[in-house]
Structures are given as C-alpha cells and as structure tokens.
Amino acid sequence: MARKRLGEILIEQKIIDEEKLAKALKYQEQNRCLIGEALIKLGYATEEQVAIALSKQLGIPYASIQNQILKPEKGQDIEKIIPEKFARDNKIIPLFVENGVIAIAMSDPTDLMLLDNIRAMTGMDVQVFISTKAQILKVIDSFYQMETSLIDQVVDTGKGSDSDISDSDVLTPDGKLDLDRVIMSQSSGAQAIKLVNAILKQAIAERTSDIHLEKYDEKISLRFRIDGVLHERTAPPKELFDNIIARVKILSKLNIAERRLPQDGSFSIRYQNRTIEVRVATCPTVFGEKLVMRLLDKGGIELNLDKMGLDPEQKEDFLKAANSPHGLILVTGPTGSGKTTTLAALLTTIKTPEMNFLTLEDPVEVKMDGISQVQVKPEIGLTFAAGLRSFLRMDPDVILVGETRDNETAEACIKAAMTGHLVLSTLHTNNALEAIPRLIDMGVEPYLLASTLLLTEAQRLVRRLCPDCKQPYKPSKEELDMFLKESLLSPMPDPNKIIFYKPRGCQKCFNIGYKGRVAIYETYFITEEIKKIISDNPDILKIKEVAKKQGTWDLRASGWRKVLAGVTSVDEMLATTIVEM
C-alpha cells in the first residue's frame, strides 16, 4: 500500500484544501524547500500541524511538551552523550537511553545524514520521535541549563490580569531599575515588562555580554553572546515583540515613535548588589527593528595586569614601556578584542597620586578611580584631536587616547609624546607591526615615529576551557607538527609528553565547554635597532626578523602557549589566529 502524501493527510484533516496545496506546491518548486516548510511559510498550516501530519505519514511517534514525551530523563547523563551545541545546531533533543538505543526528538526525521552522525557520535542505534523546532529549542534551553529559564516562566504565565507596573514601581529613587523587585512582582498584566526583566536577569546569570533581539518573516530570534559566541534562547511571543522594543526604548529615554532611524541610548540596573550599565542600540530592518543590548558589569572587570593573560616576558615589556617618562604605546586589534581593558589595567598598575592621568574615550566603558576620564562628543566639536590639544594645557603626565582614527589625532599623539608625556592609544590593525605603516600612511614622519614609539602590541580573545570539565588528550600528528613549527618555544618540550585539552560541557559552563575568555598577545618593544629600521626604511618583515632574534613571538605562538598550558583548545586558538608570514 502506497504511503499517503503529506498534503493529502492535511486535506483529510481539513487543515488545507486543494487550492492551498496547489499554491504550496508552486511555492515549493520556486524556493526548493520541503512541502511542510512551504505550508508553514505561506501560513496555511502551523508547525505543530505539519509535525503531527508527518508523524502519521511516517509512522513516527509525535513528541510534545503537552503529551509529556518531549521530556528528557535526568540521571542518564544524556546531556553528555549529546552536547548542547550539537543539539542546538541540529534542532534535536535526546530523550532517554534504553538497551543501547538512544531516543531522539527531531523536526526532520527524514534527515538520514544527521541520523548517521548521531549513530557515529553516540555508538548507539537511534529511536526517532518527531517534534517542532520551537518546542525542541524550548526544551534545549530548560534541559541543558537544568532549570526552566526565567523567560520560559514569564511566557508560560500568559497575559494575566489587566493591572500594570508603572515606571514609578519599576525605577528606584536613584533612577536604576531594580530587577529583583520587578521579577518578584505579582502583577501579571504587563507581560512585556516582565519579559524584558526576565531576559536581562537570565542574561546576567549566564555571563552574557550582548543581547540580540530581532524579528524575521516567520519568527522572533533571541540570542545571548557568551564569551564571544552567540547562543539561541527561547524567543518571546511574536505579538509582544513591539511592546518589548517600546519598553526598552522607554528605559533608554529613546523616541518610541521613531522606527525608521537607528537610535542609541542606555540605562542602569541594580541586581544582587551589582550595578550594570546597559547600552542600547536599535536599527530598522525589513521585518522590524533589531535591538542589541550590551551589558557592562561595573564590578565584573578586574583591572589586574597579572590576570590579563600576558606571559612574563610580555608583561616585562609592557611595564618597561609604561615606566618611561614619555613616548607612545600602541595597542592594536579588532573591535571587541579587549584593547581598552588591557590599557585600563596598565593605567591602574602604574597609577600614583604624584602623577596626573587623563583619558579621552568613546565611550567611557571602564571607570577608574584617581583618573580623569573624558567622553568624546563629536556633535559639539569634542573630537579625539580637539580633546587631546586641550589636555596638553591640563598639565598631564599620562594620556590615554581611546582610538587613533585619523591623521589629526595621530599627529596630536606624536606631538604629545614628543613634549614629555606618556601617551597610550589603540589602533585597528591585524597585527602589532602593521601599526607602523598605518601611522606613516596617516602622515606621521618615520623619524618622528621612531623617536617616540616605545611599544606596539596586538591581541585577541580566546575562550577559556571550563576547568571543571575539560578533557585531556594526546594531540594528533597534525596538531603536534603545527605546535612544533609555530610555537617558537625554547627549549621545546618532549613531544611524547605533550598533553592538550578539549571542551566537554557541564552544568557549571551551561554545557558549552568554555567559561570566560583570556587574551593572547604579541608585544614588540621598540629597541634601538628597530628604531633605526623605522627611521631609515620601515620594512615590517625586517623588523619582525630582528624582533624574532631578540626573543619576541607572534599571536599564533602565544596561542600555542595557552593551548599547552590547558587554558584553551586547539580549535579555539586556530579559529582566532592566523599564521604570520
């Protein structure tokens, strides 16, 4: 007997008719997708209706939260058999293990390649259940965190009564949002208010740096950036999306009626005796506004040079340069690589009451005691260059310039460094030595750069392996060959005794396998020999050759040192660095 087609089953169930099926088949042909996806995209059937019809068509049991089948059994360590990343990437959830068979719920049970991958990874046969992507992702959030997320709790409460929480209830007298008080509120009428606070509270608990909320054609996406990587979380209901955006705009003092232009704002929250600043940015997209919230924990940054990830030789170079009475120190790297944190830690280390410290930043992210910090405001003429010129009349000893963006700022930095001031700044280049030709391209004379430059440094952030679950292993021949060639260690350890570590995942790291980040560095202290090369012929390869003879190593070699120490994994380090020629 021939198997019924999915469209025929849905027609029998009176979910669609012949006309809708014909339109869906045409859409399928044009967009090269499954017929179920076409029906969902066109709005003719829900994801759940398609999944139930597929269950009937294929003879595969349907699993849902409601029928209690989509409920992973605890105590079987199945979260270790199927790691969270694999489950989330492939939209599957392990349910139980019995007699060498693992039960898996998935949205597309016809994906034979995925089933083969699961068999190879687990070494078990697979019993398949069918479910919807939305329900699977919801269970992933609750199961791998070993608790129901705050967002799920708020979504599941429904809309509740008509009572509301006003801003006077939400905001404390000092203007800071008290998350603990709002989350504990019994008023269920303002679900959007509760959702905003639940999202923030869950994000803080998971050490999130950025929250991304955006709307697509058929769904809402909520993602948390944890240790530099975005992870999906349970999205709020589609009908509350605009209310959530409006709520965040009100807190950030933005125009809630303006949806055509990008907007920026901020607000502060108090949570568990911690003050966290939230930077808000909105941007119009074709489906609606995208919202990004950056969380800055004022008490979560430890400005200690010893804990920045510097090797002893690199720290010595930094302090040697920073203790000079005048000159220029440049920190380079892409946005988000920790440049400002490194400079703040350096300033905190050398800070004394006998010296006058001034900083010019955009924005001021890390507030430091005993240091005068100025926020750049280009709209009123307070640019880096203009602020730096005014600083020279403020009797400074040490000046930090947040970023050298143009020739005017570069020349002002050089002038300040030449007139008896220690100047620290950042630059966007791929490696440390590229800062030299970049400044020359900006109009700085090579001989002036040679006489002022003390140190140039580049850095990247790599994720730390979770100390509670990282797994030791013997490196493969390919990994070992790369290590021996690129680490530049002297003396080189015995290859037969080298042990590397890889991520596994546990409850303490939310089954990610990584917890926190650490910087890897390359530092080039500008010796007299290098100064002469810069002044005569600023050739990067020649400078690098001289620096290598003097014992300096690059970012890749620094990364291999972190791998050998068990701080990070080979895959993470290779994804972050490149081989320098």
Side-chain angles (χ1 to χ4, degrees), residues 336-504:
S337 59
K339 301 187 296 295
T340 302
T341 303
T342 297
L343 287 177
L346 184 60
L347 286 183
T348 304
T349 301
I350 65 173
K351 179 184 67 178
T352 64
E354 292 80 23
M355 298 173 70
N356 181 22
F357 289 76
L358 297 172
T359 78
L360 193 63
E361 304 171 65
D362 183 24
V364 177
E365 291 187 352
V366 182
K367 294 181 173 64
M368 297 171 278
D369 291 333
I371 295 176
S372 300
Q373 296 175 266
V374 177
Q375 169 75 52
V376 169
K377 295 179 181 177
E379 64 273 13
I380 61 171
L382 181 53
T383 61
F384 281 113
L388 189 50
R389 284 195 295 270
S390 70
F391 274 12
L392 297 179
R393 298 189 290 272
M394 301 291 293
D395 185 33
D397 294 294
V398 180
I399 300 171
L400 185 149
V401 180
E403 185 182 343
T404 302
R405 295 176 177 172
D406 50 46
N407 63 332
E408 193 179 4
T409 307
E411 288 174 1
C413 287
I414 294 293
K415 182 179 178 181
M418 289 179 63
T419 53
H421 308 91
L422 180 64
V423 180
L424 296 82
S425 187
T426 71
L427 204 61
H428 288 281
T429 60
N430 290 325
N431 59 53
L433 293 179
E434 281 184 12
I436 295 169
R438 177 67 59 85
L439 286 175
I440 293 173
D441 288 343
M442 287 182 181
V444 176
E445 293 291 344
Y447 73 93
L448 292 178
L449 184 59
S451 64
T452 54
L453 189 60
L454 297 169
L455 177 138
T456 179
E457 173 262 316
Q459 63 184 75
R460 300 289 188 275
L461 292 178
V462 294
R463 290 183 291 173
R464 287 181 182 270
L465 286 164
C466 175
D468 295 295
C469 64
K470 64 181 182 181
Q471 287 184 305
Y473 72 98
K474 291 288 289 182
S476 65
K477 184 180 184 304
E478 183 183 7
E479 289 176 336
L480 199 56
D481 289 344
M482 291 174 66
F483 171 79
L484 296 174
K485 180 182 177 182
E486 299 170 0
S487 64
L488 306 179
L489 282 168
S490 181
M492 188 66 69
D494 184 351
N496 295 319
K497 295 181 180 179
I498 291 176
I499 297 293
F500 290 163
Y501 292 82
K502 61 184 178 182
R504 180 179 178 183

Side-chain angles (χ1 to χ4, degrees), residues 161-280:
S161 66
D162 294 331
S163 59
D164 203 349
I165 302 174
S166 66
D167 277 342
S168 60
D169 297 322
V170 173
L171 300 177
T172 58
D174 60 356
K176 295 187 175 69
L177 179 64
D178 190 336
L179 283 182
D180 292 312
R181 184 143 59 91
V182 178
I183 290 294
M184 295 303 292
S185 171
Q186 296 302 306
S187 173
S188 58
Q191 197 180 14
I193 294 175
K194 285 188 172 186
L195 273 168
V196 169
N197 289 278
I199 289 168
L200 287 168
K201 192 169 184 180
Q202 185 172 326
I204 294 166
E206 295 187 35
R207 302 176 292 104
T208 300
S209 62
D210 299 88
I211 301 168
H212 290 244
L213 180 66
E214 53 206 311
K215 182 192 287 186
Y216 295 107
D217 190 16
E218 294 295 328
K219 68 167 189 172
I220 303 298
S221 170
L222 175 65
R223 294 178 293 171
F224 291 173
R225 188 177 292 280
I226 303 170
D227 297 332
V229 178
L230 285 168
H231 299 270
E232 285 195 61
R233 292 293 177 259
T234 302
K238 192 173 182 179
E239 62 270 16
L240 289 176
F241 179 82
D242 291 336
N243 292 338
I244 291 170
I245 299 291
R247 174 61 180 167
V248 174
K249 282 185 174 182
I250 289 170
L251 293 174
S252 311
K253 297 181 175 60
L254 300 178
N255 182 358
I256 62 171
E258 180 56 77
R259 299 183 179 184
R260 302 165 302 168
L261 296 172
Q263 295 189 74
D264 297 304
S266 66
F267 60 93
S268 295
I269 56 178
R270 192 179 66 237
Y271 174 59
Q272 294 182 347
N273 297 318
R274 294 154 61 191
T275 299
I276 296 168
E277 186 176 347
V278 183
R279 298 260 171 80
V280 176

Side-chain angles (χ1 to χ4, degrees), residues 81-109:
I81 300 172
I82 303 289
E84 180 185 6
K85 188 175 187 308
F86 185 86
R88 197 176 291 280
D89 289 347
N90 294 285
K91 309 294 186 297
I92 66 167
I93 185 74
L95 300 176
F96 57 85
V97 173
E98 187 175 330
N99 298 326
V101 177
I102 185 166
I104 299 287
M106 56 198 302
S107 61
D108 181 12

